[in-house]
Amino acid sequence: MTFFRKADVVAHDAHAFPGGIGEGALVRTPDGPRPVERLRPGDRVATRDGGLQPVLAIWCREVSGTLMQADPGLAPVCIEAQAFGVALPLERLRIAPDHKVLLPGYLLDGAQGCVSCLVEIGDLASGAGPVSPEAARRPLRFYTIVFATHQVFCANGLAVESFHVSPCSQRQIAPCLAEEVQRLFPDMDSAPESCARVGYKLVSNARLSPGTP
């Protein structure tokens, strides 16, 4: 029997798309946890609300240590194990500061305790502590997953969002990726309702509740 290897994911430049989770993060699949960099189109991922969803595309961008030192905003946020509670996350997670994570409202200042909220992780990063900017000096690859609809899935046990495909996000990604989105979502412009976010409250400029690490 002959086995065919799926094509490697192409590494784009540092500004090819917003957000992303750092290489090495484990994503939940029906075959067990898998490093995000080993996912390929067609693989299935366990999502919070949509069950097992096939990956339509997975994108990668590489940020050099030189770029991160010149622009600290390109460096990842480091979330230590159990920063937000037991198993949240299970292991240290590196994630782009503008990537959104899903957190229970009781962790957030002014949010209702029973409401889960999507927040940019960079808003919660402080100079020290379990959620902090990383002074990265080595190149790092960030990955983002595209599903047929916007989803929340787990990376190292922490709920994070997939890439939100929309006419607006088209303007934030590299031309080659925008062309791929047009091929994958040919009806996007005529059916904007298909680009809806998952049904969670989106909180801007979030802050952790007093007493939260």
Side-chain angles (χ1 to χ4, degrees):
M1 181 180 294
T2 302
F3 294 90
F4 295 92
R5 178 185 176 187
K6 292 184 178 180
D8 289 336
V9 176
V10 175
H12 297 280
D13 68 49
H15 302 282
F17 57 85
I21 55 180
E23 57 189 321
L26 296 177
V27 174
R28 190 180 302 163
T29 77
D31 301 314
R34 185 183 302 180
V36 63
E37 63 267 24
R38 290 180 55 193
L39 290 173
R40 297 294 183 271
D43 292 339
R44 295 185 300 166
V45 168
T47 67
R48 183 181 176 98
D49 304 293
L52 295 177
Q53 291 286 324
V55 174
L56 292 189
I58 180 162
W59 300 337
C60 168
R61 64 186 179 95
E62 183 169 288
V63 186
S64 69
T66 301
L67 275 176
M68 285 187 252
Q69 290 181 55
D71 182 359
L74 292 173
V77 169
C78 182
I79 309 171
E80 299 294 344
Q82 304 189 62
F84 298 118
V86 177
L88 292 177
L90 287 164
E91 301 176 32
R92 171 190 271 194
L93 177 66
R94 299 162 86 194
I95 186 169
D98 54 346
H99 201 95
K100 294 181 179 64
V101 303
L102 184 70
L103 294 176
Y106 65 80
L107 292 174
L108 304 171
D109 192 19
Q112 293 180 326
C114 60
V115 177
S116 294
C117 304
L118 281 170
V119 301
E120 285 192 6
I121 193 62
D123 289 341
L124 306 181
S126 59
V131 183
S132 58
E134 183 173 291
R137 293 179 173 81
R138 296 182 179 178
L140 178 65
R141 289 186 172 187
F142 291 103
Y143 293 81
T144 197
I145 300 175
V146 181
F147 297 109
T149 55
H150 187 236
Q151 297 290 337
V152 169
F153 63 98
C154 283
N156 286 4
L158 185 67
V160 302
E161 71 166 354
S162 67
F163 185 77
H164 178 220
V165 173
S166 71
C168 179
S169 67
Q170 284 275 83
R171 298 190 289 271
Q172 299 176 304
I173 60 179
C176 62
L177 299 181
E179 291 174 4
E180 182 177 7
V181 167
Q182 286 290 346
R183 291 194 300 271
L184 293 171
F185 301 89
D187 300 324
M188 178 177 56
D189 293 331
S190 59
E193 67 278 1
S194 65
C195 301
R197 284 190 181 273
V198 288
Y200 295 106
K201 184 178 181 179
L202 187 63
V203 177
S204 301
N205 302 313
R207 293 292 181 267
L208 291 173
S209 296
T212 304

